[in-house]
């Protein structure tokens, strides 16, 4: 996005010094996207390390009715569309395919390795691996086994690992990304190369709507991740993210127009509205002063379940994810310098190594679960645990610990 892309006439825009804007150098890497991916990491920790702490006031759907998953998938699609799209524009589709294949193999390999490592850890008698080998549904009160029984044959374990049918639920979004990358990325670039982008987006919506109406959703891969992230549903935001990344310059040119600026301001207003809406969520964990009461609890829960379900990407959640992304991107474009100085040192390295962080955090989660920490009831101790884990991961990233072996 150019410096003037979101510069609208009017008093609000004039309050922001032009020197704060993001310096568009034409580079493929967009540090705003890296920072946004890095911002997802603390929210990831808030979701998976379930000690109630200060991070929950951001991470538990408090900046909108969206989760880390939607933002991660959208960003992944945009980055793929930008990076590989630039090469395709220059050298053609055939030049892109080897890189896509190599990346697919790398992503698939790390997913299978993760699954098999955790499968092996189960046999260590001094380690309780329950936290990463089972999934507990707090609403239904049921616990689901994510791995075959201990006496299952090694061939059964390996075959299920190769099909991504087992594995830690905290890592399953990576399994979805692997399948998405393999199944949809070449198709998207092929359709774009044939100038069939409109048809591509239309087909993407058809798949989403068909799966939205299916009960239960159709799961073509039969992989474990599809119970939480049905691929025919979640492809919608990945495919649209890829197209947005590929046509980034054209989109930014549109946002520089008067109508584009109006759209940005509409997205900001809607993002604020969704944030105020989600503060009405009657979650017991939050104190009364951290909630709004404009929407009665029963009404909110009805709206939430009807229009904002996560696994099927309800239409309300879709709209919220898009407007929130545009609003944050616009904010970082206009106020990049102060935001970068305050947060870039932390979030940009994490964002540039997000796949590495996803891999490492599973083992940190296992370590914490096997450490007798007096958490859960102590808010400040829990906050310290979360911040300490983020600091540890940041150090590991800066030191490039095991970067040779773990994709990042």
């Amino acid at each position: 996005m150019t410096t003037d892309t979101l510069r609208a006439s009017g008093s609000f825009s004039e309050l922001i010094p032009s020197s704060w804007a993001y310096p568009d150098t034409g580079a493929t890497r967009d540090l705003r996207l890296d920072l946004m991916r890095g911002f997802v990491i603390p929210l990831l920790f808030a979701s998976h390390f379930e000690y109630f702490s200060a991070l929950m006031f951001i991470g538990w759907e408090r900046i909108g009715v969206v989760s880390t998953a939607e933002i991660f998938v959208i960003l992944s699609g945009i980055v793929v569309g930008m990076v590989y799209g630039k090469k395709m524009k220059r050298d053609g589709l055939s030049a892109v395919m080897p890189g896509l294949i190599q990346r697919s193999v790398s992503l698939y390999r790390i997913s299978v390795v993760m699954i098999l490592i955790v499968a092996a850890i189960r046999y260590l008698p001094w380690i309780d691996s329950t936290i990463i080998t089972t999934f507990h549904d707090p609403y239904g009160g049921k616990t689901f086994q994510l791995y075959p029984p201990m006496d299952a044959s090694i061939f059964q374990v390996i075959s299920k690992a190769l099909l991504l049918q087992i594995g830690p639920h905290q890592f399953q979004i990576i399994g979805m990304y692997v399948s998405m990358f393999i199944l949809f990325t070449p198709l998207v670039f092929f359709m774009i190369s044939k100038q069939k982008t409109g048809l591509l987006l239309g087909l993407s919506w058809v798949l989403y709507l068909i799966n939205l109406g299916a009960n239960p959703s159709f799961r073509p891969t039969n992989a474990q991740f599809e119970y939480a992230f049905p691929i025919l549903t979640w492809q919608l935001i990945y495919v649209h993210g890829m197209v947005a990344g590929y046509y980034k310059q054209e989109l930014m040119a549109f946002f520089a127009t008067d109508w584009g600026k109006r759209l940005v301001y509409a997205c900001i207003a809607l993002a604020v509205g969704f944030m105020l809406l989600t503060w009405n969520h009657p979650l017991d964990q939050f104190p009364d002063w951290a909630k709004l009461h404009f929407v009665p609890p029963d009404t909110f829960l009805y709206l939430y379940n009807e229009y904002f379900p996560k696994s099927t990407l309800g239409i309300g959640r879709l709209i919220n994810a898009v407007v929130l992304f545009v609003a944050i991107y616009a904010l970082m474009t206009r106020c990049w310098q102060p935001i970068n100085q305050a947060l870039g040192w932390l979030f940009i390295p994490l964002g540039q190594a997000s796949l590495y962080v996803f891999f490492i955090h599973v083992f940190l989660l296992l370590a914490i679960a096997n450490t007798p920490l007096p958490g859960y009831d102590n808010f400040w101790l829990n906050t310290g645990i979360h911040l300490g884990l983020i600091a540890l991961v940041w150090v590991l990233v800066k030191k490039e610990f095991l970067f040779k072996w773990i994709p990042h």
Side-chain angles (χ1 to χ4, degrees):
M1 188 178 289
T2 62
T3 300
D4 295 328
T5 295
L6 298 175
R7 183 176 297 161
S9 59
S11 58
F12 175 75
S13 178
E14 293 170 357
L15 292 174
I16 303 175
S18 59
S19 60
W20 284 10
Y22 183 82
D24 187 5
T25 62
T28 301
R29 180 173 288 280
D30 189 332
L31 294 179
R32 290 162 294 188
L33 300 179
D34 289 334
L35 194 147
M36 289 177 70
R37 285 202 294 186
F39 180 71
V40 167
I41 300 305
L43 308 187
L44 171 75
F45 278 63
S47 299
H48 291 171
F49 294 81
E50 297 180 359
Y51 296 94
F52 190 82
S53 76
L55 291 187
M56 273 52 177
F57 287 87
I58 301 175
W60 279 8
E61 297 189 356
R62 307 302 286 175
I63 60 174
V65 196
V66 295
S67 70
T68 58
E70 296 94 291
I71 301 301
F72 175 77
V73 174
I74 291 173
L75 286 169
S76 298
I78 291 174
V79 171
V80 170
M82 286 172 51
V83 174
Y84 291 96
K86 184 176 182 178
K87 185 175 180 62
M88 189 174 85
K89 291 175 184 177
R90 184 180 66 244
D91 303 321
L93 179 63
S94 60
V96 173
M97 295 310 296
L100 291 178
I101 294 173
Q102 182 179 5
R103 183 64 172 171
S104 298
V105 171
S106 178
L107 290 169
Y108 176 72
R109 182 176 63 244
I110 197 64
S111 296
V112 173
V113 167
M114 165 63 78
I115 293 170
L116 293 178
I117 289 176
V118 173
I121 288 175
R122 296 182 305 156
Y123 294 94
L124 301 178
W126 60 89
I127 294 180
D128 180 4
S129 62
T130 303
I131 196 167
I132 57 175
T133 58
T134 65
F135 172 72
H136 178 71
D137 179 6
Y139 302 104
K142 297 181 179 179
T143 298
F144 300 91
Q145 297 295 326
L146 303 179
Y147 277 81
M150 298 288 286
D151 58 356
S153 71
I154 188 172
F155 300 105
Q156 181 182 2
V157 173
I158 291 176
S159 65
K160 286 184 174 295
L162 293 175
L163 294 173
L164 304 182
Q165 292 179 348
I166 56 177
H169 72 88
Q170 298 89 350
F171 199 70
Q172 62 188 357
I173 193 172
I174 301 300
M176 177 189 66
Y177 179 53
V178 171
S179 299
M180 200 91 71
F181 194 93
I182 295 172
L183 296 177
F184 288 96
T185 303
L187 175 63
V188 171
F189 281 129
F190 174 77
M191 296 288 283
I192 291 175
S193 70
K194 298 300 182 180
Q195 299 183 347
K196 301 292 184 181
T197 305
L199 177 61
L200 168 69
L201 297 179
L203 290 174
S204 179
W205 273 99
V206 168
L207 290 176
Y208 165 78
L209 292 173
I210 289 175
N211 223 39
L212 185 65
N215 187 21
S217 296
F218 177 54
R219 304 181 178 97
T221 70
N222 201 31
Q224 184 195 93
F225 68 81
E226 288 225 61
Y227 289 97
F229 306 107
I231 196 168
L232 295 184
T233 297
W234 282 73
Q235 56 76 30
L236 182 75
I237 54 177
Y238 178 75
V239 168
H240 282 63
M242 275 192 65
V243 172
Y246 184 87
Y247 290 106
K248 178 188 174 186
Q249 295 304 320
E250 290 83 352
L251 283 174
M252 295 307 102
F254 166 73
F255 283 125
T257 66
D258 289 339
W259 278 106
K261 294 169 186 176
R262 294 188 185 104
L263 181 58
V264 170
Y265 288 127
C267 288
I268 293 172
L270 284 171
V272 172
F274 279 119
M275 183 172 64
L276 295 177
L277 172 65
T278 198
W279 287 354
N280 287 270
H281 199 305
L283 283 169
D284 294 335
Q285 292 88 340
F286 287 99
D288 196 62
W289 59 262
K291 302 177 186 177
L292 294 178
H293 303 281
F294 298 136
V295 182
D298 290 344
T299 302
F300 179 89
L301 292 175
Y302 168 78
L303 294 173
Y304 187 90
N305 294 325
E306 190 72 17
Y307 300 106
F308 297 91
K310 179 179 176 181
S311 64
T312 55
L313 282 182
I315 191 65
R317 185 175 288 266
L318 271 179
I319 296 172
N320 195 170
V322 172
V323 299
L324 180 62
F325 177 86
V326 173
I328 294 176
Y329 195 82
L331 175 65
M332 289 196 297
T333 298
R334 293 307 311 273
C335 303
W336 173 253
Q337 298 302 336
I339 292 174
N340 184 37
Q341 290 176 10
L343 302 173
W345 63 273
L346 172 62
F347 290 143
I348 290 177
L350 293 177
Q352 293 177 345
S354 56
L355 182 58
Y356 171 89
V357 175
F358 268 93
F359 187 90
I360 289 293
H361 100 282
V362 173
F363 299 100
L364 292 178
L365 183 61
L366 182 65
I368 290 293
N370 284 269
T371 303
L373 292 173
Y376 294 108
D377 296 327
N378 190 316
F379 175 83
W380 296 111
L381 178 59
N382 296 344
T383 300
I385 292 172
H386 277 153
L387 295 179
L389 289 168
I390 294 169
L392 174 59
V393 170
W394 182 83
V395 171
L396 294 176
V397 169
K398 295 295 288 185
K399 297 296 184 181
E400 298 185 355
F401 180 69
L402 295 180
F403 266 31
K404 182 179 179 181
W405 304 105
I406 304 175
H408 49 278

